[in-house]
Every structure is written in structure tokens, then in C-alpha cells.
Amino acid sequence: MNWIITDHNGRVISTSPTAVQLLNNHVPSNIRELCEDCPVNGRANQLFKKILNIGGLHYKPMSYEDDGRPRILWQTVDTDSITRLERLLSDERNFFDLIFNNVDSDIAIFDQHHRYRYVNRMGIADDQLRSWIIGKDDFDYCSYRNVPASQAFARRKRFEEAVKQAKTIKWKDHYLREGREQFVERILHPIFIDDKVKYVVGIGRDVTDYELLNRELRGSKERYERLFYENISGLFKSDLSGEFIEMNNAFAAIFGYEVNELMQMPAEVLYPSKTTREKYLADLEVTGILTNYTMYLRNKNGDEVIVLANIRLTRRDEPGGGTIQGALIDVTEERKAYKTINWLSSLAKESPDPIVRLDGITGEVLFMNIAAEDAFEGLDYELVLRGMFEEALTNSGEKSEQTMEIGDHWFVVRCAKIKSDNPYINFYFSDVTDEQMMIKELDRSISELNQRNENLKQFNFIVSHNLRAPISNLNGLTSLAKVKFGQLPDGLDEIFSHIASSSAKLDQVIIDLNHLLEVQSINQTAELFSVANCISEVISILEPEIQNAQATINVQVPEETDFYSIQSFVHSILHNLISNSLKYRDGSRKAVIEVIAGFQNNTLTLTVNDNGIGFDASNNDVFQPFKRQHHHVEGKGLGLSIVKAQVDQLKGKIHIHSNEETGSTFHVSIPAWK
Amino acid sequence: MNCGEILLVDDDPISLFITETIIASAASDVCTHQYEDASPAVDFICACEENLTVIFLDINLKDRTGWEVIDELRERVKDGTCKHIPPIVVLTSSIALSDKKKAEQYEEVIHFISKPFKPEHCQEVMHKIGLK
């Protein structure tokens, strides 16, 4: 081998003996030029492709330093063998490239010192870098790419792991490059020759799409499971025989079971009978799908459960087929409520009383039952309802009631305002035509009665004033004769006394008639008074007559005699009965009259008992005005009529026991005034 | 009845005649004044001041009732145009209990007489007003 050592200026420092000969004969003119391009760093000689050709010999340069002085050693090379080897290698590499560049993976081959021996185009796309990297390791690569050496360390670790374990290792690298994720699956496969590691093959495969898809799938599965198990609808899957494959909590809960419990049971337990299940299955068979299908099932307690089902049948020949799956919603409560609402609604519809509902804002008719339609038939009901609506709006109360005429009927209309998101007003009508007619009739009767009462008053006034005034004058005038002239001549005195007695009788008739009329007028007021005092008063007024009859009056009254009634009537009744007893006394015996008062259940009983001449009590005419039982005794026949009228007015009763030997007993009972 | 002036108010002249005759026969020294209409009677009462001993007042007068006459007198006492209301005897042909009860409600009314007016009535009244 020949060699030449030069400095960087091309000056020859020393040569091998053969080279001296050659240099002497052929001094290369361009050696300086060559040397100037020669890099100082000896490791770069691979790139330093310049070859010095002297005397048919090829010199290859290699720079080095000799005591700090840069030197270049030029050594001869066997050009032929190099060229052959280079071609061989080049062919081989082209062959590998041809294959490996078409492989969808990064492929690199390292020697035992971690140096690249081969990288395919997938591994490194840049051809220049790809040829540069050969013989370099990952640290070179990192410094070249200007990336942290940590990557190289990590690789080295894996490399040593593969070598140490003497087996293929696999891992996945996850990168984030320019905001995009990348997943690379890497394999390091050591190759041993004579138990010593010679090469390590590295394969890298981009599995980003796979990883992302996988992640998506995993997410979907989680979502599906959550959707399934946490769904509020009851979800289930069973096979065709009714054996459950899966179900969620909601499904088991609809029927009052735990999932574990129901999973062990056949689907048949949920049906009221076997035939029911067969019927539902038959329906399902027809189309393979049931949508919003109502099923009547049974819960754990055997109670009816109504569900709304969406069920799909997958036939045996479909992939994953032979199953029934679906979703159920428990609508038992809703259906029950719906039934109630239905019932109420039909009640409103068929109610014999009209019912109308208006929108609480617009007044639009929302509902009108049959009775309402009948009531409004032939009428402009919208006008009527509009009026009612407006009145209801101004009415501050929640409820109101009024009576109104619609068509030829009268109705009491009750109104209920409902305040809610959808306010409305209900009107309930009650037909009160009959009542209204009765009220009208009653009003007319009352007004007639009032008129009659007025007439009676008027008549009473005529009796008490227009009739009585002249008679009392007549009476007065007759007595004046005596006042003025003292004793009258015999004949005249008799005439005057007859005039006086006639006018006195006439006056008494008018006074009685007046009392009778007064009783029948209605304006009497009740008061609390003492019955005992009342009896004493009557007796004291009748004292002259009692004296005259030489009669004995026995009075029996309880201690407490306060009573609520019309005092003047009670007074008049007693007055008439006692004066009757005095008047119709039996002259053959001493007159004894008993007056007894008593109370029972808020009722006053008065008994007037005499030992007089008596009369035929079977005759009902006894209470008729001007019917006299005895004509031999002076009387005008009004007394008992007045008593009867007053007792009637007090809502009381009167009974008479009388016979012509022992006398008469009058029983009067008067309830307390209400 | 002495040194008394008596007023009779009644729309019935015969009744006035009877009353006056009986009073006159009972006491010769009284002077009776008679009115058939209410209004002049009220004016007379007010004009008389305290000289009237007693008034005999009918209930059913022509244009008003005896009660209204008393009410009017009360009004006039209130507004000062009448000094005081003399004792009143209601003398009426009415025998209605309601009238008798009503009479009891007027403190001015000292007696209620149902016609015809009789000498006994005259004695009662004289006794009540403390004459004779």
C-alpha cells in the first residue's frame, strides 16, 4: 500500500517509498486544490468523495492531526474491488429498497452497536438523510433532527431490552404532532449469530386509524351500556322461547322485580296467561316490529301493569337473530288517570245541566255539553256567552252566581274562574225555570195577599172610623139629653133609653167586627210576657160583670209563666172565653169558672171551664160569625169567631167539651211564636 | 173645671158638640176652643204658650193623624217656635189596640178615651190634670 501525507495546502510532508517514485515523475498539479476541500474532521471521510489519481493508483484521503497540525493521509485503494463491492452493495440496497420501500411499515436494521445498517423509505423519506444515517445511531439522528436526546435514550433502552431478553419486543408510541395524534406500533427483533447478537430489525407501523377507531368503539360501547343500564325505559332482550338475555333495572322495576331475580324467570311470568303471550307474539310475527303497542301484563304481585312497548323481532336467519328486544314504558297510572278523565269528561258531556267552558283570555268557547247546546239552540249563544265572559272577568271573586233567562228557560249560572297557565272559565247552569215560575206565582200571590190585606185595613178603617164615629156620636148624643135636661118627661125618657140601648148594641157589633178584622191583618208583633199577669188583667177588666154575676173565678197558674207570643191575642182570647162563661151562666146555681194555664214542650195550654148552661158542641158552626147558640141571652155571636181567628193566627188549637147539664170546657193550646 | 182653657181638635162637628156640652155642664168657668183642621190648631197651641190646660185630640183628622200633630208640636218645640206642649187627651172613635198602644208611647198623652165621650170620662180627665 502506498501512502502520501500532506498538509491542507497540498504540500507533501512524507510518502511511502513507492509513492516517492511516482511523485517524482508525476507531481499532481491539483493536489492543493483537493486539499483545500478536505474536511478536518476525519470522520467525515465517507462524504469526502474526492479521489487522487496518481500513476494509475487511487488515493483516498483521511484527515488527522499530528501534534495539532492538520494532516491528510492519502492511501491507495483497490479501486476494482471497491468498485465491485460498491456496486454489489448498491445492487443489494436497491433490491432491499425495491422490496422494503413498498412495505407499509418503517423498517430499519441495526448492527450490534445500535448503528443503522438499513432504513427503508417509510422510515426516512429523505434519500440524502437516509444514506447519511447509515453507520450512525439514534443520538446522531437526534442531533441531526435537533430533537432532545431523550428519544434516543428510550430507543436504546428498548434495544437493550430486546437483546437482553433475546426475543422480539413490541410497544406502542403515542405522538402528538402538529395537533394530530399518531400511534406507532413498534417491534424490535434481535437476530443472533453464534449466540451473539448481530443485528436487530426494527419495524414501525402507523396504527393511528386503528387506535382512533378502537377508541371510538370503546366509547360507543360505554355509551351503549350506560344507555342500556341507566335508561328510564325498561329495556330487555330475550330469545324466542322467552328466556331473558339481558335487561336493565328499569325493566325489572316495572314489574316489581330485581334484575337478578327476573333474569332467572321465564318471560311468561309477566303475562296474565299463556294465551296472552301467544297473542302478542303472533302480532309481533306479522311485521317483526311493534310500535307504541299497548300490552296488559302482570307484576310480581299479580296486579295489572299496562305498558307501551316498542319491540323488534330478529329472525333466526338474521345475524345475531332469534331474539326479541324492546323498550317498555309503564303507563298504568296514566291509563288509570286517562280512564278517570274520560269518565269525568263523559259525565260533563252527558250532564243534564248545561256546562260551558270558555278560554280565560279570549273568551272562545272551549267546551259545551249537549245540554248547553240544547239550551242555546236557535240563540246567538256567542253573544250571550261573551256577555257572561266579560262580566266574569270584571267580577273579582273566584266564584259567582246569577240567575238569568236563556230562551224560555231560567238558569242559575255558577261561574268558576280557573287561574293556571291556561286560564279558563267554567259556567255551570241549573235549570230553575220551575222554581222561577213558582217564585213568580208566589210573588203574585203575596202581592195579591198584600192587596187584600190593604183592602182589609181599609175596610177595618171604615168600620172603626166611618161606621163607628157616627154611632158613638149617636151614643153620646143620647146621653147628652140627660146631661143637658136632667130628668126627661116620661114618654121621652123611654124613647131615649131605647135609642141608647140600640146604639150601644150596634156599637158593640162594630167593636167586635173591628177586633175580628184586626186579628186577620198580619202586622202583629210577638213579645215575651207573663201569662199570669195577662189573666189578672182580664179578670180586673171583667170585674163589674163578675160582680154582677156573683161568680167565683178560680185561677191556677204555674210559678213561671213567661211566654213568647202576641200578647193582645192571648188577652183577647181569655177575655172572650171568660166573658162567655159569665154570660152563659146557669141561673139555678152559683157560677164557678176555672181558669188554668200550663206549659208543655214550649206550648201554652189555657183551659176555661164553667158550670154554665152549655151547648151542643157537635155543631161545627159554633165558631162561625153571628151564629148564636142561645137566643135568650143577649149576645151578638162574634166572640167565639174572634177566639177561633186569634187561635188560628197563633197556630194554636181549640177544643170544646160541652153539655147542657154540666157546662162547657174550652181547651186552647198555643205554641210559642216563631 | 175652673180657670182653664181647653182646646178641642176634631174633624167631626157633632163629636165637638158632644164633648163641649159635657165639659160645659161639668165646669162653667172653662173656655173651650175648637178646631176641625190640624194646622190652625197647631198654630193656636203655639200662640197660647202656657195658657192651655189640656188638649182633646182626635186621631183621624182630615189631612193628617193626631200622632202627626204631636210630632209637629215636638218639632216646633225643638226649633223654638213653640214653648211647650200641654197635656193631651186622645179622644177617638178608634178602638184599635194599636192606637191605644201607640198612645202609651207618647209621654204628652195623659189619657186615651174611646168615643163616645161621657161625663165619667170628663171626671177622669179633670182628676188627672188636677183640676177640681
Side-chain angles (χ1 to χ4, degrees):
Chain A
M1 184 190 279
N2 288 310
W3 47 270
I4 302 165
I5 294 170
T6 67
D7 65 13
H8 273 254
N9 293 323
R11 202 156 51 90
V12 177
I13 308 297
S14 64
T15 65
S16 60
T18 327
V20 174
Q21 277 184 333
L22 292 170
L23 281 172
N24 284 342
N25 296 331
H26 308 283
V27 179
S29 56
N30 61 346
I31 189 164
R32 177 180 301 201
E33 194 184 326
L34 288 171
C35 288
E36 279 172 1
D37 289 342
C38 187
V40 178
N41 182 356
R43 292 179 71 179
N45 64 350
Q46 291 282 351
L47 288 174
F48 191 62
K49 293 291 186 186
K50 297 281 167 54
I51 299 287
L52 184 62
N53 196 341
I54 302 170
L57 293 174
H58 290 97
Y59 292 83
K60 232 185 151 181
M62 196 179 97
S63 62
Y64 71 99
E65 279 181 14
D66 179 18
D67 281 342
R69 290 167 304 205
R71 294 286 180 262
I72 298 170
L73 170 66
W74 301 84
Q75 287 178 291
T76 54
V77 285
D78 183 349
T79 331
D80 285 350
S81 65
I82 286 174
T83 308
R84 263 200 317 277
L85 186 65
E86 278 184 345
R87 190 177 296 129
L88 191 69
L89 280 172
S90 170
D91 287 348
E92 204 173 46
R93 212 179 69 182
N94 284 342
F95 171 73
F96 284 130
D97 275 351
L98 181 69
I99 294 166
F100 291 141
N101 285 348
N102 286 305
V103 174
D104 190 17
S105 297
D106 303 352
I107 296 173
I109 299 169
F110 305 89
D111 62 17
Q112 70 268 42
H113 303 297
H114 323 112
R115 287 186 298 232
Y116 282 90
R117 293 299 298 268
Y118 176 78
V119 184
N120 74 348
R121 194 169 278 155
M122 282 298 288
I124 296 174
D126 183 342
D127 281 345
Q128 203 181 347
L129 178 61
R130 192 147 55 94
S131 60
W132 176 83
I133 195 87
I134 302 302
K136 311 237 170 23
D137 58 21
D138 280 321
F139 289 97
D140 296 324
Y141 181 76
C142 286
S143 77
Y144 178 79
R145 291 288 301 263
N146 198 22
V147 296
S150 56
Q151 197 179 325
F153 274 114
R155 284 283 174 83
R156 180 66 52 86
K157 217 172 163 187
R158 300 274 186 191
F159 194 98
E160 280 163 1
E161 186 188 339
V163 171
K164 194 177 169 190
Q165 294 186 3
K167 67 173 194 187
T168 307
I169 63 160
K170 251 187 197 181
W171 77 97
K172 230 173 265 171
D173 280 335
H174 181 202
Y175 307 104
L176 196 66
R177 283 185 183 145
E178 292 157 5
R180 291 184 58 192
E181 282 185 293
Q182 191 187 18
F183 291 90
V184 181
E185 186 181 66
R186 296 198 186 276
I187 294 170
L188 275 182
H189 180 72
I191 294 169
F192 292 85
I193 295 171
D194 297 335
D195 292 337
K196 285 193 152 176
V197 70
K198 190 72 180 169
Y199 301 106
V200 174
V201 180
I203 301 171
R205 208 147 57 86
D206 187 319
V207 292
T208 307
D209 289 348
Y210 169 80
E211 280 296 324
L212 290 180
L213 189 66
N214 204 21
R215 184 195 287 172
E216 183 66 28
L217 278 172
R218 244 189 345 260
S220 297
K221 189 159 184 283
E222 276 170 21
R223 275 200 299 280
Y224 166 77
E225 284 179 351
R226 207 159 50 226
L227 209 60
F228 185 86
Y229 288 105
E230 295 170 15
N231 205 301
I232 54 164
S233 299
L235 304 178
F236 77 98
K237 188 173 180 182
S238 75
D239 64 16
L240 296 181
S241 71
E243 194 165 308
F244 287 114
I245 299 163
E246 59 181 342
M247 68 174 67
N248 64 359
N249 288 330
F251 180 84
I254 288 175
F255 303 100
Y257 291 97
E258 297 291 327
V259 170
N260 295 339
E261 191 181 8
L262 188 55
M263 280 298 284
Q264 306 303 318
M265 296 182 174
E268 217 172 280
V269 300
L270 303 179
Y271 295 85
S273 71
K274 206 171 179 176
T275 51
T276 321
R277 179 166 185 266
E278 282 162 4
K279 181 193 161 295
Y280 291 144
L281 269 181
D283 284 352
L284 185 58
E285 288 281 348
V286 177
T287 53
I289 192 156
L290 294 173
T291 311
N292 290 338
Y293 184 83
T294 304
M295 297 173 83
Y296 298 88
L297 303 175
R298 289 283 178 276
N299 68 8
K300 193 176 177 181
N301 298 330
D303 298 330
E304 183 175 63
V305 174
I306 307 173
V307 297
L308 206 59
N310 285 292
I311 298 181
R312 186 169 173 273
L313 171 76
T314 54
R315 292 172 206 286
R316 283 184 213 281
D317 49 7
E318 286 178 51
T323 63
I324 298 169
Q325 47 189 306
L328 309 185
I329 301 168
D330 185 348
V331 294
T332 313
E333 291 305 315
E334 287 89 332
R335 286 298 166 95
K336 276 185 194 162
Y338 183 73
K339 264 188 193 170
T340 310
I341 288 166
N342 242 349
W343 181 76
L344 287 174
S345 144
S346 72
L347 202 67
K349 252 183 233 161
E350 293 159 15
S351 159
D353 291 327
I355 298 171
V356 174
R357 170 176 289 192
L358 303 183
D359 185 293
I361 293 165
T362 65
E364 188 189 342
V365 178
L366 299 176
F367 171 81
M368 186 182 257
N369 70 355
I370 300 163
E373 280 170 8
D374 289 349
F376 286 117
E377 201 184 354
L379 297 170
D380 185 358
Y381 69 83
E382 282 183 350
L383 188 75
V384 177
L385 293 175
R386 169 61 56 178
M388 289 165 61
F389 170 70
E390 274 158 14
E391 199 179 320
L393 283 191
T394 54
N395 195 349
S396 58
E398 291 302 296
K399 282 183 176 174
S400 69
E401 194 176 304
Q402 57 168 322
T403 307
M404 62 190 295
E405 194 174 10
I406 298 170
D408 50 4
H409 281 252
W410 282 88
F411 291 98
V412 167
V413 187
R414 290 177 188 82
C415 158
K417 277 193 276 184
I418 311 297
K419 284 177 186 165
S420 65
D421 289 346
N422 300 306
Y424 51 84
I425 302 178
N426 286 348
F427 291 105
Y428 307 97
F429 298 73
S430 311
D431 193 327
V432 292
T433 312
D434 291 347
E435 289 89 329
Q436 203 65 23
M437 291 298 134
M438 266 169 64
I439 289 168
K440 278 190 169 179
E441 186 63 33
L442 202 63
D443 281 348
R444 201 166 49 238
S445 300
I446 288 171
S447 98
E448 261 177 31
L449 277 176
N450 279 334
Q451 186 57 46
R452 280 194 196 182
N453 199 41
E454 275 310 306
N455 291 345
L456 197 64
K457 273 187 187 166
Q458 193 59 34
F459 182 58
N460 196 9
F461 182 80
I462 289 166
V463 168
S464 70
H465 188 256
N466 297 16
L467 268 180
R468 196 174 178 254
I471 284 170
S472 63
N473 281 349
L474 189 61
N475 232 339
L477 286 171
T478 334
S479 62
L480 269 195
K482 263 187 190 164
V483 171
K484 267 215 141 158
F485 305 105
Q487 188 61 42
L488 294 173
D490 268 355
L492 205 55
D493 182 42
E494 196 182 353
I495 293 169
F496 264 93
S497 84
H498 286 320
I499 296 174
S501 96
S502 296
S503 65
K505 278 181 194 165
L506 189 55
D507 195 25
Q508 193 56 50
V509 170
I510 286 166
I511 289 169
D512 284 354
L513 197 59
N514 178 262
H515 277 147
L516 191 57
L517 291 169
E518 207 167 45
V519 170
Q520 287 169 5
S521 92
I522 34 185
N523 301 323
Q524 297 290 343
T525 53
E527 62 197 322
L528 192 69
F529 64 94
S530 157
V531 175
N533 287 351
C534 190
I535 293 170
S536 306
E537 252 175 60
V538 171
I539 288 170
S540 89
I541 287 169
L542 288 171
E543 198 53 46
E545 284 91 336
I546 295 168
Q547 294 285 344
N548 187 33
Q550 294 184 328
T552 306
I553 313 275
N554 296 325
V555 178
Q556 293 177 36
V557 288
E559 229 166 77
E560 186 62 53
T561 64
D562 281 355
F563 189 58
Y564 191 75
S565 189
I566 299 168
Q567 185 181 4
S568 59
F569 284 7
V570 176
H571 186 281
S572 171
I573 290 164
L574 284 164
H575 186 280
N576 271 304
L577 291 179
I578 296 170
S579 76
N580 251 10
S581 290
L582 288 168
K583 203 175 288 169
Y584 302 110
R585 63 184 183 273
D586 187 342
S588 63
R589 57 192 170 209
K590 184 178 163 56
V592 177
I593 302 168
E594 288 177 334
V595 181
I596 305 160
F599 296 92
Q600 212 167 21
N601 301 328
N602 242 353
T603 296
L604 167 66
T605 57
L606 291 171
T607 305
V608 176
N609 180 31
D610 64 51
N611 56 354
I613 54 178
F615 55 92
D616 181 8
S618 66
N619 189 348
N620 281 330
D621 286 347
V622 49
F623 295 120
Q624 291 293 316
F626 306 109
K627 286 277 176 183
R628 293 184 54 200
Q629 307 299 320
H630 298 283
H631 296 278
H632 63 276
V633 181
E634 284 199 22
K636 51 252 176 238
L638 273 175
L640 285 181
S641 302
I642 295 171
V643 169
K644 173 71 172 148
Q646 285 168 332
V647 170
D648 285 349
Q649 200 69 22
L650 295 175
K651 314 239 182 303
K653 288 192 174 109
I654 180 162
H655 298 286
I656 304 169
H657 300 283
S658 182
N659 68 57
E660 293 178 356
E661 277 143 31
T662 56
S664 311
T665 307
F666 292 83
H667 293 286
V668 178
S669 61
I670 302 165
W673 192 259
K674 277 172 191 160
Chain B
M1 226 180 260
N2 51 14
C3 61
E5 293 206 18
I6 294 176
L7 174 66
L8 310 179
V9 186
D10 200 323
D11 62 342
D12 182 353
I14 299 175
S15 178
L16 282 173
F17 169 71
I18 297 168
T19 314
E20 191 202 1
T21 307
I22 290 175
I23 291 173
S25 69
S28 53
D29 54 348
V30 293
C31 161
T32 58
H33 304 268
Q34 306 178 8
Y35 283 95
E36 290 182 26
D37 295 316
S39 295
V42 169
D43 290 339
F44 177 79
I45 293 165
C46 294
C48 271
E49 297 192 343
E50 292 174 17
N51 293 330
L52 277 178
T53 311
V54 68
I55 301 168
F56 285 84
L57 180 64
D58 188 14
I59 293 174
N60 299 298
L61 299 168
K62 270 178 198 149
D63 53 349
R64 70 190 80 173
T65 66
W67 314 124
E68 283 166 347
V69 170
I70 300 175
D71 291 339
E72 198 178 328
L73 284 169
R74 285 181 173 184
E75 282 302 311
R76 293 193 60 165
V77 168
K78 224 183 239 176
D79 67 22
T81 55
C82 188
K83 268 201 171 159
H84 97 294
I85 305 171
I88 293 170
V89 172
V90 171
L91 175 60
T92 176
S93 61
S94 167
I95 41 162
L97 277 169
S98 56
D99 280 332
K100 194 170 184 190
K101 289 213 162 164
K102 194 154 188 180
E104 288 166 9
Q105 288 167 13
Y106 282 93
E107 54 177 336
E108 296 89 344
V109 177
I110 58 163
H111 204 46
F112 183 92
I113 299 169
S114 261
K115 286 178 188 176
F117 189 61
K118 291 177 181 169
E120 307 95 271
H121 292 140
C122 193
Q123 299 302 323
E124 282 166 20
V125 171
M126 284 194 296
H127 181 71
K128 277 212 169 153
I129 59 175
L131 289 178
K132 243 182 185 174

